[in-house]
Amino acid sequence: MDVIDHPKHGSIIYHPSLLPRHRGASAINWTLIHGDKQAGFSVFWADDGLDTGPILLQRACSVEPNDTVDTLYNRFLFPEGIKAMVEAVQLIADGKAPNISQPDDGATYEGIQKKDNAKIPWDQPATMLHNWIRGHDKVPGAWTLINDQVVTFYGSSLFEGATPSGQPLEIKDAPKPGIISKNGLVLFGNDGKMLMVRNLQFEDGRMIPASKYFSTGDTTALELTEDENAMAHKIKAIWKGILSNVAIIEDSTDFFKSGAASMDVVRLVEEIKQQCDGLELQNEDVYMATKFEDFIQMVVRKSRGEDKEEFVVNYASRAVNNMTVNMPYQCFINGQFMDAEDGKEYETINPTDGSVICKVSYCSVADVDKAVAAAKDAFENGEWGKMNPRDRGRLLYKLADLMEEHQEELATIEAIDSGAVYTLALKTHVGMSVQTFRYFAGWCDKIQGSTIPINQARPNRNLTFTKKEPIGVCAIVIPWNYPLMMLAWKSAACLAAGNTLVLKPAQVTPLTALKFAELTVKAGIPKGVINILPGSGGLVGQRLSEHPDIRKLGFTGSTPIGKQIMKSCAVSNLKKVSLELGGKSPLIIFSDCDLDKAVRMGMGAVFFNKGENCIAAGRLFVEESIHDEFLRRVVEEIKKMKIGDPLDRSTDHGPQNHKAHMEKLLEYCETGVKEGATLVYGGRQVPRPGFFMEPTVFTDVEDHMYLAEEESFGPIMVISKFKDGDVDDVLRRANNTEYGLASGVFTKDISKAMYVSEKLEAGTVFINTYNKTDVAAPFGGFKQSGFGKDLGEDALHEYLKTKAVTVEY
């Protein structure tokens, strides 16, 4: 290969800009200052110093909202630039190097920014202020006047969410005072939006965290543990290796005054990462703690996690159920609660009395895109994707513990938002959610592939093995009947597998999902891993099903909506789908059953959770010889049920979830009466405030009737007789439905029970019991009740992909 600077070739130059967009030495800074959506580099043939030579090759990358010069260099410009220079050299050597003249259109030449020109122009939107500060970051530094002193800003990022609390700071020419918060200096653009600056530098060169602006600088020195002292000795040795001219590193030794330069900062940061268990410092950490004593204190605080950002939560608080419940009501995106992009809200209603609980953020398509981007970044670049599976399990165990600590508050929120009876919410809605997270936390370090014997390609040998890998960003869309439990059933398996997620709770029951989001932060789940978006299914759910960066969608809801989701998922990017849809679960009661048990469990099969239960027995087939007695006992027991406030511990039956659903149930009953079914009990709204429906019983329901074919999803028992001893005919009738979610049989004849269980076309069959689900048992349906499983090991595989690897040796 010829030497590239040989006269016959000429010379080539690397330039950190997409020429001719920004020419000159500060090109990358101007990329940020101007808010360009793309950055990149050019390799061009050398000219006479004006960056106008012909282009040999170019590479581009997107500019993220909070990118800096450093992040662009580290992520793209440096690693890809080296590859590109190698490629350019090879193209020249092969005689294939392009020589493309630069156009003059759009060309700019912007020289090195001087400090005098870097003063912040305040009359701009927050995004433009942010671009100005990050574009001048490090050199020369964007500055302003505070108390007639020049103060330079470093480490800018856009800030979303509620305005944090803190002390106001007057800044000359700024549209409004800044706020010194726990995490930094919050600034405001002329559009009212916010940005945050992490570090400040004064005219004497002193740099401080912006959050410490009003502090005296006197902080209590930490007392180091034995392990921390050992770490301090390692760091002292690193300092000594860098500052070879210093005889002894003392507490007062100043890193820079002892001769260190900017390259030594990079070395210090990297050596500490290598020798101190991966502890990650930023370059600015060194600039803010230049004396060895201060540096050690800073490192120890970071290792203890004391530098974590403040987590701001705005609550709607209610004194209810002998406690104060604090309910977040904003979108949860990238580890922060924030208003919807367009500021829209909607009211969530207490079904007990129809009153407004609070207003909740109504997410838009822009919010979906923001949440998916956060989840993608957390999966591809964040610590979650690099985390040891056992550490991931530890975080999920901690989350389960926090849910258990807050179980009374969660159950109370569930009761007022969904109408669930508090005692049931405590045991099932919340209790099973805790169990689900604990179960899947235990699976995190047990996800494994297998080795497979294959034909050998002699004389070589082969090894084939499989790996189970997370899918990536997953969307989860859940219903309103068990708001927290449905979240847990899908999210726990998704997270245990190592995915990140964007979850849309039902529009009418968002509050426990948002409270759960708060607990995930307290558990230490990294930002971006879990995102919660309240809003409409037609807007948020549809965008999730269409989004190209989502690779899996799990849905529980109606069959028509499930079909629409499946279609959208196929058309967009063929994303993996699991669907738990409608049901019309048959329950067959034979005359040889334990009748007391059949009555008690048959009522539970229908009226559990006010009938708002996906596996509710939608149709009871009762053998003719016991039909009348069964019916008499059921009505007798219904009359004993207490209908009332779900927070009353003696209540058996609470309100239906929302008004539209109750009205649908009343129409369902009217249809049954019109078609000739016998209304034995109920069928009306309870005359009291709220959305209460009487427990209802129909009999003489024939196979062609609407009640026999369609799910009510409410407290409506639908009874049909079958002839004594005619097992096969009742099985035919039970299976004559497009649904296949669950089913049940009551009989003392175990042979009959096993025969019936084999013939029933349903994902779950209960024998002499009902509603007995467990976190370790797979749950899901057949036919138009959907496909895929929640719970058990099967659920884990819904959120994993299998990779086969074959090695020849």
Side-chain angles (χ1 to χ4, degrees), residues 308-322:
K308 299 294 184 184
E309 289 186 2
E310 180 184 13
F311 178 52
V312 179
V313 189
N314 290 326
Y315 294 119
S317 298
R318 293 281 293 269
V320 62
N321 199 25
N322 298 316

Side-chain angles (χ1 to χ4, degrees), residues 237-248:
I238 295 171
W239 275 52
K240 184 68 178 81
I242 296 171
L243 304 175
S244 56
N245 58 311
V246 178
I248 300 174

Side-chain angles (χ1 to χ4, degrees), residues 182-193:
K182 181 179 177 181
N183 296 323
L185 170 58
V186 177
L187 304 170
F188 297 87
N190 61 12
D191 56 356
K193 294 187 176 180

Side-chain angles (χ1 to χ4, degrees), residues 21-22 29-36 108 110 128 131:
R21 173 69 173 132
H22 299 295
N29 302 77
W30 285 105
T31 296
L32 296 174
I33 292 168
H34 286 301
D36 293 354
T108 61
E110 292 154 318
M128 297 299 291
N131 288 340

Side-chain angles (χ1 to χ4, degrees), residues 22 43 124 170 198-199 237 335 338 451 525 587 631 676 706 735 764 785 803:
H22 299 295
V43 177
Q124 298 186 85
E170 292 292 337
R198 291 196 310 273
N199 303 318
M338 60 186 69
T451 56
I525 305 293
L587 175 57
L631 188 61
Y706 182 79
N735 287 329
T764 297
S785 288
K803 177 183 288 183

Side-chain angles (χ1 to χ4, degrees), residues 58 78 124 133 143 217 237 390 406 424 440 466 468 488 571 585 589 683 688 699 741:
Q58 291 183 314
F78 177 72
Q124 298 186 85
I133 295 169
W143 62 275
R390 199 159 293 169
H406 289 262
L424 177 65
F440 283 108
T466 61
K468 297 289 186 180
V571 171
S585 301
I589 300 175
R688 59 170 290 163
T699 192
L741 188 56

